[in-house]
Structure formats: structure tokens, C-alpha cells
Amino acid sequence: MENNEGRADLRSLQYEELKEVLTGMGHKGYRADQIFDWIHRKKVSDPGEMKNIPSSLKEELFKRYEIFPVKKELVRVSRLDETRKYLFRLWDGNLIESVFMKYAHGNSVCVSTQAGCRMGCRFCASAIDGLIRDLTAGEMLGQVYGIEKDTGERVSNVVMMGTGEPLDNYENSVSFIRLLNDERGANISQRSITLSTCGLAERIIRLRDEDLAITLAVSLHAPNDRKRSLIMPVAKRYTVNEVIAACRDYYDGTNRRLTFEYSLIEGLNDSEEDARELSELLAGLNAHVNLICINPVREKSFREPTVQAVRAFQNKLEKNHINVTIRRELGRDIEGACGQLRRSRIRETGDSLRSGKE
């Protein structure tokens, strides 16, 4: 992707790609080590800060490339749990969200992979305006690096579960994972990276062959096609059985336990029968079910179930030997769920949505 000045995102280049660009321009290979270090360890976005790089090299390089800006627009801090919800503005004016969460095992950041989303899940605020454009790998990194600089704390876990469908932006998402994991840069373990998908079956199988040790989280949200299609339009393209078959294939190829996200919606997918059917669907699969109580969204009519209903659903799964937890709720007082803050900002300011091609 190029910006409206015809420059590509320098932060998106893998180390070997950067080295090839620089040697192709007639520079020594060690310059790649220096520039990669400035971008991915020191996390600078201004070439003027790259003190040991000759001005002539920077001038030549930045005629072709730019470090796409990911500028902090707004931050809300939860009074309940220290969760921080970020609204970032991109070079073309689009707004994206990220969330910083503190856990006993370390700090996590939930990043967006697209501006908007075309999956259309009916309980999610991210999909209300549809997909505007994909993010580059560098713009995904910009969220992590920006939050680290803002908080002064290291991020040890990254969740690709913000706005957008990562497998709909496949190449950039995989590139982002490899850059995060590069020991010359952020050096975040692949085992500390989670990719969440609506269940694009053929891309789950493609991901199997990338030789990644990440956690794959599949948004299932219903145990059968009839109910799933009521809340997830993607179910009209991929049946539940096709998604589960792809997941089994993924597990066979990676030996990595799968996570299934299941958002409980009152009166729709939270019954004892739903729990029984879900148990049968996942039987024999090395899987973990993450139960989620949906967050209220102004434009949506779905309601969260009672605490008693959630516990009953959990108990039914456990009796059927399914590993299950209830997701710890963070940031509700700051519109912590996907797309809520971005949507709120658009309502308040009348901010327009841009295609990135202007």
C-alpha cells in the first residue's frame, strides 16, 4: 500500500526486505541493522531521530518510503481496572482502536487489523460502517509501539482481536506477526500472540502452513448454522462443519490448542440445548471455549444473559468435558468492546470515513 504521496510504509518491511532495498540503493548491509533497530527497538517514527544514519541515505530512502503515522487521538482510562482504550488516527484520517490491558502475566494490547470490517457480525460495533481499508503491518505495529511509548511499559502479549478480520487482511497480518516476533525488533514470542478470526475456513488451512506458533481463536458464537447465520453473515459462506473441519486440520498441522470465542446473547444462543450441541460439536478436539458476555451497543438490540444463565452454560460444558472459562470483562466504563469508541467518536464529531485512496 502507498499513501497519497506514492510512498510505501517503511515500518512494514521485514529485515531482509529492508536490507535488500538498502543494498539495492548501493548502501552497506549493516545500515539495515541500524535502521531496523531505530524503527523496531527504539520505536522512532521521525527519520530525524536516526542519529547514526547519514542525511543523504535518509533523504534517498524517505523519497520512496514513509513510516506511516499512527497518531494518538484520544485515550480513555478505566476507573475499574486500569484498562486504556486508544483511538488512533491514520495518515488518511481514518480512526482505529486499540486496547491496553494489565494482567498478572503481563501487559496485553488488542490491535485492529483493518479500518472498519466487512464481516457484518450483528452484535459488533466495528461492522456498522463496513470495511474502509486494510491496515499495513506497520500500522498494526504502530499501535503496539505507540502504546508502549505512551504508557512507558513493555507489551508482552498481543491479541489481533480489535476492529477488522485478520484473515481478510491475510498477508499484512502474517507480516505483522513475523515483525513482532523478530528478535532484532520487538521480540515478542509467537506463543504470546493470538489471532482471532470469524472462521474463514480456507485461510485457516493456509495459516496452518505458515509455521507459526501463535494461538488461533475462532469466533463461533453459535453451535449450528441456523443460529450462527442470524448473527454472523459469514456463516452463509462457511458452514459450522466446514469451520470445525478447518480447525481440526489446523490442529493436526500445528499441534496448537484452539480457542473458540462464544458471545452469549440472551434468548438466542445461551440455552442448555445450545451448550449440549456445542459440546458435541467440539468433542475430541483439543479446544478451549472462551465465553463472552456481549457488550451493549447503541445501534444493536442484543442483550447479555444473566449471571445465572452464563454460569449454567459454563457448567453444562464442563459436565461434557469441555475446557471453558468466562472472559474477564475489562474496560466496560470506557467503551472497551470492539468498535464502540470509534463509533462513539464518529457520532459525536461527524467524522467522515475515508477509503485511503484519496
Side-chain angles (χ1 to χ4, degrees):
M1 178 181 177
E2 296 180 345
N3 64 12
N4 52 13
E5 295 177 347
R7 290 184 288 185
D9 187 7
L10 187 66
R11 192 161 44 200
S12 293
L13 295 181
Q14 302 292 328
Y15 170 80
E16 292 298 337
E17 293 173 330
L18 176 61
K19 188 173 183 178
E20 184 177 345
V21 167
L22 291 168
T23 55
M25 293 165 58
H27 298 284
K28 299 292 186 180
Y30 74 89
R31 293 297 186 190
D33 296 82
Q34 293 176 322
I35 293 174
F36 201 85
D37 183 78
W38 278 112
I39 294 173
H40 298 287
R41 282 200 173 168
K42 298 183 177 69
K43 299 175 173 60
V44 306
S45 54
D46 179 0
E49 297 182 48
M50 300 178 183
K51 303 300 184 183
N52 59 348
I53 307 300
S55 297
S56 57
L57 189 163
K58 288 189 284 189
E59 183 178 355
E60 183 181 8
L61 182 63
F62 283 89
K63 283 181 180 177
R64 298 168 54 184
Y65 292 92
E66 179 183 352
I67 299 174
F68 283 7
V70 180
K71 295 182 178 179
K72 182 175 67 175
E73 174 95 356
L74 180 67
V75 183
R76 290 185 179 171
V77 182
S78 173
R79 295 186 298 272
L80 304 175
D81 50 42
E82 298 184 90
T83 296
R84 299 172 71 90
K85 183 70 176 275
Y86 286 82
L87 197 65
F88 289 110
R89 190 173 292 275
L90 307 179
W91 64 265
D92 57 0
N94 275 301
L95 297 171
I96 59 170
E97 295 178 348
S98 310
V99 184
F100 174 77
M101 298 161 286
K102 298 175 79 75
Y103 294 96
H105 62 268
N107 297 324
S108 293
V109 167
C110 178
V111 301
S112 294
T113 56
Q114 296 176 308
C117 182
R118 64 175 157 191
M119 294 299 104
C121 297
R122 307 203 193 285
F123 54 84
C124 180
S126 298
I128 290 173
D129 297 298
L131 176 66
I132 309 304
R133 70 166 174 88
D134 291 336
L135 301 190
T136 66
E139 288 172 323
M140 297 179 212
L141 286 168
Q143 299 167 63
V144 180
Y145 295 174
I147 289 173
E148 285 190 325
K149 291 181 75 172
D150 189 65
T151 62
E153 298 190 40
R154 172 169 167 75
V155 169
S156 56
N157 299 272
V158 174
V159 183
M160 303 168 72
M161 201 179 288
T163 301
E165 162 58 60
L167 295 188
D168 190 38
N169 187 13
Y170 187 91
E171 288 79 9
N172 287 322
S173 293
V174 171
S175 181
F176 167 65
I177 292 167
R178 298 196 191 285
L179 284 165
L180 268 182
N181 181 236
D182 196 312
E183 62 183 8
R184 289 159 293 212
N187 195 24
I188 293 177
S189 168
Q190 289 186 13
R191 294 180 182 273
S192 298
I193 302 170
T194 298
L195 183 152
S196 176
T197 176
C198 288
L200 310 189
E202 78 281 358
R203 296 199 177 184
I204 290 174
I205 295 171
R206 182 180 172 187
L207 189 67
R208 172 203 62 192
D209 299 325
E210 296 286 354
D211 193 28
L212 298 173
I214 63 171
T215 296
L216 182 67
V218 179
S219 296
L220 196 59
H221 303 318
N224 58 58
D225 294 324
R226 182 183 66 80
K227 289 191 174 184
R228 196 166 190 254
S229 64
L230 293 175
I231 54 177
M232 300 179 71
V234 72
K236 297 175 182 176
R237 181 173 178 184
Y238 305 102
T239 67
V240 167
N241 286 338
E242 286 173 330
V243 173
I244 297 301
C247 289
R248 292 185 186 277
D249 198 20
Y250 181 87
Y251 175 76
D252 290 341
T254 65
N255 203 35
R256 295 286 293 161
R257 186 179 76 162
L258 294 142
T259 294
F260 289 93
E261 307 285 348
Y262 195 98
S263 292
L264 289 162
I265 302 171
E266 184 183 51
L268 179 61
N269 64 356
D270 62 341
S271 70
E272 183 174 327
E273 175 62 20
D274 291 320
R276 182 196 63 76
E277 197 171 350
L278 180 62
S279 300
E280 292 177 354
L281 185 68
L282 302 182
L285 184 60
N286 186 5
H288 172 84
V289 175
N290 195 11
L291 296 180
I292 306 163
C293 294
I294 61 162
N295 277 278
V297 175
R298 182 183 300 185
E299 291 86 351
K300 306 294 184 178
S301 59
F302 294 131
R303 294 179 298 181
E304 62 182 313
T306 64
V307 173
Q308 293 80 3
V310 174
R311 293 296 183 190
F313 199 93
Q314 178 188 29
N315 291 338
K316 182 67 174 179
L317 293 180
E318 288 176 338
K319 287 178 180 178
N320 289 322
H321 310 292
I322 301 295
N323 190 299
V324 56
T325 55
I326 300 172
R327 179 187 288 179
R328 175 187 168 200
E329 185 180 4
L330 296 174
R332 173 165 287 208
D333 61 321
I334 55 169
E335 298 183 294
C338 291
Q340 285 188 325
L341 182 56
R342 173 177 175 267
R343 186 69 219 158
S344 176
R345 187 69 166 179
I346 291 169
R347 283 196 307 262
E348 290 171 1
T349 65
D351 221 335
S352 60
L353 302 171
R354 300 167 175 84
S355 68
K357 299 178 182 179
E358 296 173 0

